[in-house]
């Protein structure tokens, strides 16, 4: 089987799964929908692996394979196809998306068991993965836009999944609106590419760009800035990031899927995919890197103070994606994609562990209420600590190697790029601190009441309420309800988390300075045309960076130990002493209010205006007016139809007389 054939099959399977569940849900008893959805993803992963081996049969210089099903449009020099591009970059993403998504489906199979919308959930989940795969495999900017928009819709459906929870529907709308802004940027970029280069095909446009554009020419800078609007909106980067924490309104597996394997990685992929444009526009690339660094540090500071467990992890995602965007923007393509891969493992693990803890807490998400789960939930506790270690970049874990490779690359470029190395280490210290703020809060200390109950074999129960507002939940439309599923008691959940725990620990060893360079060799087929790809930090420099990163990680974890285990009252003292700073960080730098005022509310207000005023008085007025004219004309015609021949003859004569008078007047 060819690489392109297996890639098409891998792409189609999640769509088939979604449609089967959507249209056959009445015939799917019990948890069959979960089996169908998970099976479709597992098969998709199998065909992704087949695609990998088929691609490796080709020499490096022939690893960019295209395939088309039919032409959208052909003529006037424009050729738009329903085509895919199979190369090392898209195959890497294919493996990450299908592999991690399969594990999230396995976890969801048990976690969502008590939810009334179980079938609907798996249909959405399959469609989300299909949309992401379409985005990844697209061979041109038009198909990319289709996948991009599908991902936006799927995220709206999943964030608003509990649709009678007002905060959930509001969060879904917010994500949708901000993503539409990104869609507009991407569409305008595609139009500009078509106008300047006469094509929207990836490979053709990249080749043409090198001939048509000079370095930092206005057109290519404009293209890159428009692409960045799309990338930053989808990847929740500053300033289009405010939808991401609110997306925690969806079920926990949705958070894992959005943050680890699909949506937020799209922007990183787009910048890496469009690297020929960004290398021709270093100004735009530098703007991207600076914004990513600012978002990286800002999100890390917020994660140090917010108390909602899922939102801490959400800000962590924004921060880690900042590393990736910074990496691919400065030319560290291998390092950026390497961190994307390892982050998918440990971030999915962290969300799954959080879901297990939250279920044990009867859906309470406040870490100030959590303590001492190490005995009550040993499996979850161990895996949570593994995820926290990888996120903190502890020596030997996957996050340790991938994060520091980005910073080592920045150091190798030197000069202005040293800024990214220094900023990256500052964020690393904050990351290590808040990672073990979670770890020590949940695992260490005397057991909380919920942990005590669980140690005695009982699950804590409470009437389901919205953790953000305290409002009672409507369990009729779907909600975990009284059944709380935790990894200790649900084998699918424990199995999925266990696999991710192993990957979070060992995946970094595929790219060890001076020892292994598996990913770098693999990606050569996608980036061999890049001068920046050829830059490599020296082995000594890379290991020195790892040493610095390891020390910073240990210092951050030690600081968290002092703050939350050794002297637990110190954080309250600091909060009282630096109250304004705490309030500023807790309010998330007031970006939500600023963006709501500048973007979200105007867009929603405009929509409401068109709905309530324009549609009612203009559209309906035109329609009703046209209908009235037709009805009036009909009455006139009916009145003229008397049935008498003399009356019709009179009308004909009158018509001729009118025509004769008209021509006489015109000819005068």
């Amino acid at each position: 089987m060819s690489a392109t054939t297996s890639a098409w099959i891998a792409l189609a399977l999640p769509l088939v799964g979604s449609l089967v569940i959507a249209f056959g849900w009445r015939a799917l008893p019990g948890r069959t929908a979960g089996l169908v959805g998970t099976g479709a993803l597992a098969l998709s992963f199998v065909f992704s692996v087949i695609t990998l081996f088929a691609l490796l049969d080709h020499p490096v210089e022939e690893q960019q394979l295209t395939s088309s099903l039919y032409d959208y449009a052909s003529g006037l020099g424009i050729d738009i196809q329903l085509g895919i591009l199979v190369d090392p970059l898209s195959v890497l993403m294919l493996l990450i998306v299908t592999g991690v998504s399969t594990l999230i489906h396995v976890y969801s199979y048990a976690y969502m068991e008590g939810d009334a919308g179980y079938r609907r959930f798996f249909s959405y989940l399959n469609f989300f993965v299909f949309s992401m795969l379409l985005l990844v495999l697209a061979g041109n900017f038009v198909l990319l836009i289709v996948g991009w928009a599908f991902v936006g819709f799927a995220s709206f459906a999943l964030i608003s999944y509990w649709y009678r929870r007002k905060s959930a529907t509001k969060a879904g709308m917010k994500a949708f609106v901000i993503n539409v802004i990104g869609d507009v940027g991407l569409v305008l970029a595609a139009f500009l590419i078509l106008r300047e280069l006469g094509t929207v095909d990836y490979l053709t446009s990249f080749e043409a760009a090198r001939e048509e554009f000079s370095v930092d020419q206005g057109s290519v800078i404009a293209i890159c800035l428009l692409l960045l609007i799309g990338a930053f909106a989808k990847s929740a980067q500053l300033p289009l990031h405010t939808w991401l924490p609110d997306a925690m309104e969806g079920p926990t597996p949705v958070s894992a899927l959005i943050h680890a394997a699909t949506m937020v990685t799209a922007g990183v992929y787009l910048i890496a995919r469009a690297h020929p444009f960004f290398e021709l526009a270093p100004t735009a690339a530098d703007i991207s890197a600076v914004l990513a660094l600012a978002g990286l540090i800002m999100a890390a500071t917020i994660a140090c103070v917010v108390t909602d467990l899922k939102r801490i992890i959400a800000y962590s995602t924004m921060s880690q994606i900042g590393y990736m965007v910074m990496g691919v923007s400065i030319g560290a393509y291998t390092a950026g994609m390497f961190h994307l891969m390892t982050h998918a493992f440990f971030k999915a693990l962290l969300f799954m562990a959080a879901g297990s803890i939250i279920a044990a807490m009867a859906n309470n998400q406040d870490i100030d209420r959590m303590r001492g789960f190490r005995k009550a939930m040993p499996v979850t506790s161990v895996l949570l600590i593994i995820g926290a270690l990888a996120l903190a970049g502890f020596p030997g874990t996957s996050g340790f190697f991938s994060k520091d490779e980005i910073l080592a690359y920045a150091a190798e470029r030197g000069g202005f790029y040293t800024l990214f190395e220094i900023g990256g280490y500052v964020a690393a210290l904050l990351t290590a601190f808040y990672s073990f703020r979670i770890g020590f809060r949940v695992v260490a200390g005397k057991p909380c009441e919920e942990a005590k109950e669980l140690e005695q074999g009982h699950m804590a129960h409470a009437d389901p309420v919205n953790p953000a507002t305290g409002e009672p939940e409507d369990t009729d439309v779907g909600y975990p309800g009284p059944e709380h599923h935790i990894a200790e008691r649900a084998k699918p959940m424990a199995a999925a988390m266990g696999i991710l725990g192993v990957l979070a620990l060992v995946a970094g060893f595929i790219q060890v300075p001076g020892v292994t360079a598996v990913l770098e060799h693999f990606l050569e087929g996608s980036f061999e045309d890049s001068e920046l790809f050829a830059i490599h930090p020296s082995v000594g420099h890379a290991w020195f960076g790892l040493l610095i990163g390891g020390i910073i990680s240990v210092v951050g974890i030690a600081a968290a130990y002092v703050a939350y285990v050794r002297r637990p009252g110190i954080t309250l003292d600091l909060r009282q002493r630096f109250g304004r700073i705490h309030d500023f960080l807790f309010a998330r730098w007031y970006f939500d209010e600023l963006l709501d005022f500048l973007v979200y509310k105007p867009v929603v207000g405009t929509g409401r205006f068109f709905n309530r005023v324009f549609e009612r008085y203009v559209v309906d007025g035109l329609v009703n007016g046209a209908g009235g004219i037709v009805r009036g004309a009909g009455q006139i015609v009916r009145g003229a139809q008397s049935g008498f021949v003399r009356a019709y003859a009179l009308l004909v004569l009158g018509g001729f007389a009118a025509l004769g008078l008209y021509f006489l007047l015109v000819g005068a």
Side-chain angles (χ1 to χ4, degrees):
M1 183 180 291
S2 71
T4 52
T5 302
S6 55
W8 277 116
I9 296 173
L11 170 63
L13 281 166
L15 178 62
V16 172
S18 177
L19 293 175
V20 167
I21 299 170
F23 292 104
W25 64 276
R26 289 182 184 276
L28 297 174
R31 291 193 286 176
T32 311
L35 290 175
V36 172
T38 307
L41 256 296
L43 275 175
S44 181
F45 177 68
V46 169
F47 278 95
S48 300
V49 174
I50 292 171
T51 305
L52 168 68
F53 285 107
L55 183 70
L56 290 176
D57 286 340
H58 294 263
V60 170
E61 61 275 13
E62 297 176 9
Q63 286 185 347
Q64 291 183 320
L65 311 174
T66 59
S67 171
S68 174
L69 291 185
Y70 68 88
D71 288 351
Y72 281 130
S74 183
L76 299 175
I78 301 172
D79 187 17
I80 304 174
Q81 299 180 340
L82 177 60
I84 59 173
L85 171 62
V86 178
D87 71 341
L89 180 60
S90 60
V91 170
L92 176 66
M93 289 295 294
L94 192 64
L95 289 167
I96 295 170
V97 173
T98 56
V100 176
S101 296
T102 299
L103 294 175
I104 292 171
H105 275 66
V106 171
Y107 176 91
S108 305
Y109 178 77
Y111 185 82
M112 297 297 290
E113 185 181 357
D115 195 290
Y118 189 78
R119 299 176 182 87
R120 179 166 57 91
F121 177 80
F122 275 96
S123 181
Y124 287 169
L125 217 58
N126 266 213
F127 182 74
F128 197 178
V129 178
F130 160 73
S131 305
M132 186 66 192
L133 293 181
L134 185 65
L135 182 160
V136 165
L137 287 170
N140 57 65
F141 284 99
V142 172
L143 199 57
L144 172 79
I145 291 167
V146 175
W148 206 265
F150 280 1
V151 167
F153 166 75
S155 67
F156 166 76
L158 283 169
I159 294 169
S160 308
Y161 172 72
W162 289 319
Y163 56 85
R164 287 190 188 166
R165 182 194 275 183
K166 289 181 181 175
S167 56
T169 54
K170 187 177 178 184
M173 284 181 63
K174 188 174 186 177
F176 188 78
V177 168
I178 294 179
N179 274 277
V180 166
I181 294 169
D183 296 348
V184 171
L186 198 57
V187 169
L188 292 175
F191 273 122
L192 200 51
I193 291 168
L194 182 62
R195 194 191 74 174
E196 296 294 323
L197 304 175
T199 178
V200 288
D201 178 77
Y202 284 157
L203 300 181
T204 311
S205 65
F206 297 154
E207 189 177 345
R210 295 187 185 96
E211 297 174 0
E212 297 293 330
F213 296 138
S214 56
V215 174
D216 265 347
Q217 187 177 326
S219 298
V220 72
I221 289 178
I223 288 170
C224 290
L225 291 179
L226 289 168
L227 289 175
L228 285 179
I229 293 174
F232 277 40
K234 199 67 81 185
S235 288
Q237 289 297 288
L238 193 72
L240 301 174
H241 64 282
T242 56
W243 64 269
L244 190 67
D246 292 351
M248 297 300 99
E249 290 288 338
T252 299
V254 172
S255 305
L257 192 62
I258 288 176
H259 288 245
T262 55
M263 189 168 177
V264 295
T265 62
V268 183
Y269 169 77
L270 175 61
I271 297 171
R273 170 59 71 201
H275 70 275
F277 290 147
F278 283 95
E279 290 187 12
L280 286 166
T283 299
D286 289 346
I287 290 171
S288 172
V290 169
L291 284 174
L293 175 62
L296 159 65
I297 295 174
M298 185 192 82
T301 61
I302 297 172
C304 290
V305 297
V306 293
T307 56
D308 183 297
L309 177 57
K310 286 175 67 175
R311 281 177 169 75
I312 295 172
I313 304 175
Y315 278 108
S316 159
T317 298
M318 178 184 164
S319 186
Q320 297 300 305
I321 295 291
Y323 276 118
M324 300 170 212
V325 171
M326 190 174 81
V328 295
S329 297
I330 64 175
Y333 305 122
T334 301
M337 297 308 296
F338 184 28
H339 198 53
L340 187 154
M341 182 189 78
T342 61
H343 175 264
F345 300 148
F346 62 72
K347 189 50 62 69
L349 175 62
L350 280 171
F351 267 115
M352 289 180 181
S356 189
I357 295 287
I358 290 167
M361 290 289 297
N363 294 313
N364 194 308
Q365 299 180 186
D366 188 350
I367 62 166
D368 287 344
R369 287 277 315 279
M370 302 172 186
R371 284 191 318 277
F373 271 101
R374 61 189 178 283
K375 289 184 180 176
M377 303 179 71
V379 173
T380 302
S381 296
V382 168
L383 291 169
L384 177 72
I385 292 299
I386 289 174
L389 284 170
L391 175 59
F394 189 77
T397 60
S398 59
F400 170 69
F401 291 109
S402 57
K403 166 181 63 62
D404 283 282
E405 188 164 320
I406 295 172
L407 304 183
Y409 185 94
E412 182 66 24
R413 290 196 67 177
F416 166 70
Y417 297 95
T418 307
L419 169 72
F420 303 113
E421 182 191 19
I422 297 169
Y425 282 129
V426 170
L429 181 63
L430 296 169
T431 303
F433 178 80
Y434 72 68
S435 298
F436 274 82
R437 180 178 177 237
I438 298 172
F440 291 134
R441 281 276 177 165
V442 173
V443 174
K446 294 180 181 178
C448 58
E449 290 303 316
E450 290 83 356
K452 285 179 185 175
E453 281 199 45
L454 197 55
E455 285 180 24
Q456 295 168 3
H458 308 295
M459 288 289 294
H461 292 294
D463 292 333
V465 295
N466 184 335
T469 63
E471 296 173 350
E473 297 286 2
D474 186 345
T475 56
D476 290 342
V477 296
Y479 194 74
E483 295 183 50
H484 301 164
H485 302 285
I486 58 174
E488 308 337 80
R489 298 183 178 185
K491 289 181 181 177
M493 291 173 65
M497 291 170 63
I499 293 171
L500 287 169
V502 172
L503 291 171
L505 283 177
V506 306
F509 289 99
I510 67 168
Q511 195 74 18
V512 180
V515 181
T516 58
V518 175
L519 196 60
E520 183 181 332
H521 292 318
F522 176 64
L523 290 175
E524 195 176 347
S526 293
F527 297 106
E528 61 175 348
D529 57 342
S530 165
E531 293 180 2
L532 297 178
F533 184 70
I535 297 175
H536 302 293
S538 67
V539 174
H541 201 154
W543 274 102
F544 181 72
L546 287 173
L547 176 64
I548 299 294
I551 292 172
I552 286 174
S553 173
V554 172
V555 169
I557 294 171
Y561 177 77
V562 172
Y564 298 105
V565 180
R566 193 75 178 175
R567 295 178 57 192
I570 194 172
T571 53
L572 190 59
D573 293 342
L574 289 172
R575 179 176 170 178
Q576 290 173 344
R577 185 173 299 179
F578 303 103
R580 290 188 177 179
I581 296 175
H582 175 274
D583 293 345
F584 177 71
L585 298 180
F586 195 77
R588 299 173 285 192
W589 291 42
Y590 295 103
F591 254 99
D592 284 60
E593 288 76 5
L594 181 65
L595 209 60
D596 277 3
F597 177 74
L598 293 177
V599 178
Y600 179 69
K601 287 181 179 175
V603 170
V604 172
T606 304
R608 285 176 179 158
F609 168 78
F610 277 97
N611 179 39
R612 294 175 181 174
V613 179
F614 186 80
E615 184 174 335
R616 181 176 299 176
Y617 296 107
V618 179
V619 177
D620 288 355
L622 286 173
V623 172
N624 294 335
I629 291 172
V630 171
R631 282 194 298 274
Q635 288 175 351
I636 293 171
V637 171
R638 278 199 303 274
Q641 290 177 334
S642 60
F644 294 107
V645 174
R646 60 179 181 273
Y648 298 148
L650 181 61
L651 284 174
V652 171
L653 287 173
F656 278 121
L659 277 174
L661 180 61
Y662 169 76
F663 285 115
L664 284 171
L665 291 173
V666 171

